[in-house]
Amino acid sequence: MQVNKSDIKRQAILETAYRLFRVQGFDKTSMDEITAQVGGSKSTVYSHFPSKEGLFVECMMAALENYMSGTLKYLDASRADPRAALLNFGSSVLKFICSPEQLEVRRLIIAEAARSGTGKLFFGKLSALRVKLSAFLAECMASGKLRHDDPDLAAEQLGAMLEAEMLEPLLLQVREGSPDEQEIALAAQRAVATFLRAYAPNSPQERQSRSGRAAKSSVRSAE
């Protein structure tokens, strides 16, 4: 298989820029320095990434996208019950976002969010990654495994629940040291249990009551 030189160059730019941004921050990292370390011309760098802001976003998201491609495999509504799938997914996500490297990346993202629309670019990237979780929840709702509701909102809420216990103390360096696997597993269990209680399927009595209310409302509207 023929190697695409353009893809190799793009990856080299990403890796170099990612390292420099993490060590020096956004302001102290220049496109000139990135070009010097990668080799070639600045026009080549700009042909792949039109702006430093865009390159920064791509760098910060690359590791997340690579990791999530493996994590999203747990979301298979056809062969897994929601609890097992979400526990595996949640534990994997927590292990990643609580790692020292990703905490450092998150701090950088927050610090640069107001710069030239960078925050909006990050949000768009994160929303695209959340589509798979939303689709999984929609399938579970359609099959009756979860209560019918807005799957996009449910995905947002699950993400917030997974982050609730650990992320803020780690980001603000209130807590020292990364959580171990047992702590991560327990936090994921608590988050998923809370989520599943909130989205538990309606009982037959509740469904019948809801259908009755809907029928009465339809009759009143017709009158």
Side-chain angles (χ1 to χ4, degrees):
M1 186 173 66
Q2 187 174 3
V3 178
N4 189 319
K5 292 183 178 179
S6 178
D7 289 342
I8 293 174
K9 175 63 74 172
R10 186 180 190 278
Q11 186 60 35
I13 295 168
L14 278 173
E15 291 175 359
T16 301
Y18 180 70
R19 174 173 51 80
L20 291 173
F21 281 135
R22 284 185 58 208
V23 173
Q24 301 176 169
F26 183 89
D27 284 327
K28 293 181 179 180
T29 300
S30 69
M31 295 296 264
D32 286 330
E33 183 178 12
I34 293 168
T35 301
Q37 294 203 17
V38 172
S41 66
K42 198 192 304 188
S43 62
T44 301
V45 175
Y46 276 111
S47 71
H48 289 280
F49 305 97
S51 68
K52 190 168 85 165
E53 288 80 10
L55 175 55
F56 178 75
V57 171
E58 291 293 333
C59 287
M60 297 301 109
M61 291 301 300
L64 175 60
E65 289 172 339
N66 290 338
Y67 184 83
M68 289 302 291
S69 64
T71 299
L72 292 172
K73 69 184 179 183
Y74 296 116
L75 301 179
D76 184 353
S78 66
R79 63 179 177 80
D81 66 276
R83 183 178 181 278
L86 293 178
L87 279 176
N88 287 327
F89 171 79
S91 294
S92 184
V93 168
L94 273 178
K95 182 177 180 180
F96 180 71
I97 66 174
C98 291
S99 67
E101 178 179 329
Q102 283 306 304
L103 289 169
E104 184 180 302
V105 167
R106 181 73 70 102
R107 293 186 191 105
L108 273 172
I109 291 172
I110 293 170
E112 302 300 335
R115 185 190 300 274
S116 302
T118 302
K120 291 181 180 179
L121 290 173
F122 280 124
F123 189 81
K125 290 277 188 180
L126 290 170
S127 296
L129 287 175
R130 200 170 283 124
V131 167
K132 178 69 174 181
L133 175 58
S134 177
F136 169 78
L137 296 175
E139 290 180 30
C140 291
M141 291 172 182
S143 64
K145 296 175 183 176
L146 295 176
R147 172 174 58 79
H148 281 274
D149 212 309
D150 181 345
D152 293 334
L153 176 60
E156 295 277 359
Q157 291 172 334
L158 178 58
M161 289 177 190
L162 286 170
E163 294 182 356
E165 285 190 46
M166 296 182 184
L167 188 60
E168 189 171 346
L170 287 167
L171 279 174
L172 299 178
Q173 298 182 316
V174 174
R175 166 184 174 144
E176 295 182 2
S178 301
D180 59 28
E181 290 193 10
Q182 182 178 8
E183 192 174 0
I184 285 173
L186 289 173
Q189 287 174 21
R190 288 189 285 267
V192 170
T194 301
F195 177 82
L196 292 179
R197 283 196 295 272
Y199 284 92
N202 293 319
S203 67
Q205 293 82 0
E206 289 173 323
R207 289 196 294 269
Q208 185 175 5
S209 175
R210 179 174 295 181
S211 297
R213 290 196 299 271
K216 288 179 182 178
S217 176
S218 178
V219 169
R220 285 196 296 270
S221 298
E223 292 175 348

